Amino acid sequence: MATLTAGKWTLDPAHSEAMFTVRHAGISRVRGTFDDFSGNATFTEDLNGSVVQANVDTASVNTRNEGRDEHLRSADFFDAENYPVLDFESLEVIDFDGEEFKLKGNLTIRGTTQEVIFDGEFGGQTVDPFGTTRAGFEAQTDISREAFGLTWNAALEAGGFLVSDKVRITLDVSFTKDEA
């Protein structure tokens, strides 16, 4: 069982990734990332009572296709001009067994807040060659984009829609321990 040092931690965006996957045209998946995000946490040794907060810049969406990214930034999807930030605030950590856990929290997209549960895995804690204490986590959840007001779509000739409602969010994050 991995251990975690209690205290304040800061998300390290240079060693982290915030990704999403959505089915496109019913036959393939589009994958994207957000390039600008931040966060912090106050961890307890057993994660119970830990608090996690994160912010994502919606304009930083990156699917490796500039036209699609501009559409995602528009009022059809994230409306980055009026809603520049996606927010997450944890409510509780559930069922931490030393490795796996569930993280319940409030996710806000386009001004709409929904409770979500991430299935998470604690990767462990270490001190890197530069003397920085790090902890790694992976977490994943599925959301309904329509529940957050992202309702744009186009019908397909063969039936169905261009963009699925289900979006998978995957986080692969590294936190650094704040110096006391």
Side-chain angles (χ1 to χ4, degrees):
M1 174 158 87
T3 60
L4 180 63
T5 302
K8 294 185 184 282
W9 295 73
T10 301
L11 182 75
D12 177 5
H15 296 96
S16 300
E17 201 166 17
M19 304 162 277
F20 64 90
T21 306
V22 62
R23 189 164 292 282
H24 177 260
I27 59 169
S28 64
R29 296 190 191 279
V30 169
R31 290 167 175 78
T33 61
F34 290 96
D35 295 335
D36 187 10
F37 54 94
S38 62
N40 55 63
T42 302
F43 291 129
T44 61
E45 288 180 14
D46 65 358
L47 286 185
N48 294 318
S50 294
V51 177
V52 179
Q53 181 275 326
N55 304 99
V56 175
D57 177 357
T58 56
S60 74
V61 66
N62 182 353
T63 64
R64 299 178 325 273
N65 179 300
E66 188 56 36
R68 179 173 47 226
D69 295 347
E70 285 300 319
H71 192 201
L72 289 171
R73 291 180 192 110
S74 78
D76 284 344
F77 288 96
F78 293 120
D79 194 3
E81 185 175 325
N82 293 306
Y83 301 99
V85 178
L86 309 177
D87 291 304
F88 175 81
E89 292 188 28
S90 68
L91 297 171
E92 67 177 317
V93 176
I94 306 165
D95 299 331
F96 181 56
D97 66 4
E99 185 176 315
E100 294 180 352
F101 61 92
K102 294 188 182 302
L103 177 64
K104 183 192 310 185
N106 287 325
L107 177 63
T108 303
I109 303 173
R110 285 184 59 126
T112 299
T113 301
Q114 298 282 328
E115 188 175 284
V116 298
I117 297 178
F118 282 90
D119 292 317
E121 182 177 338
F122 174 46
Q125 176 181 312
T126 192
V127 177
D128 70 19
F130 307 103
T132 303
T133 302
R134 298 183 167 279
F137 299 88
E138 291 182 45
Q140 180 174 286
T141 192
D142 293 333
I143 64 166
S144 159
R145 66 182 181 86
E146 293 176 3
F148 290 93
L150 284 78
T151 58
W152 182 90
N153 224 330
L156 299 172
E157 278 185 32
F161 292 96
L162 185 64
V163 184
S164 72
D165 178 45
K166 177 181 159 183
V167 178
R168 175 157 293 157
I169 300 170
T170 304
L171 306 173
D172 191 350
V173 295
S174 176
F175 282 85
T176 58
K177 178 86 172 69
D178 294 356
E179 297 299 319

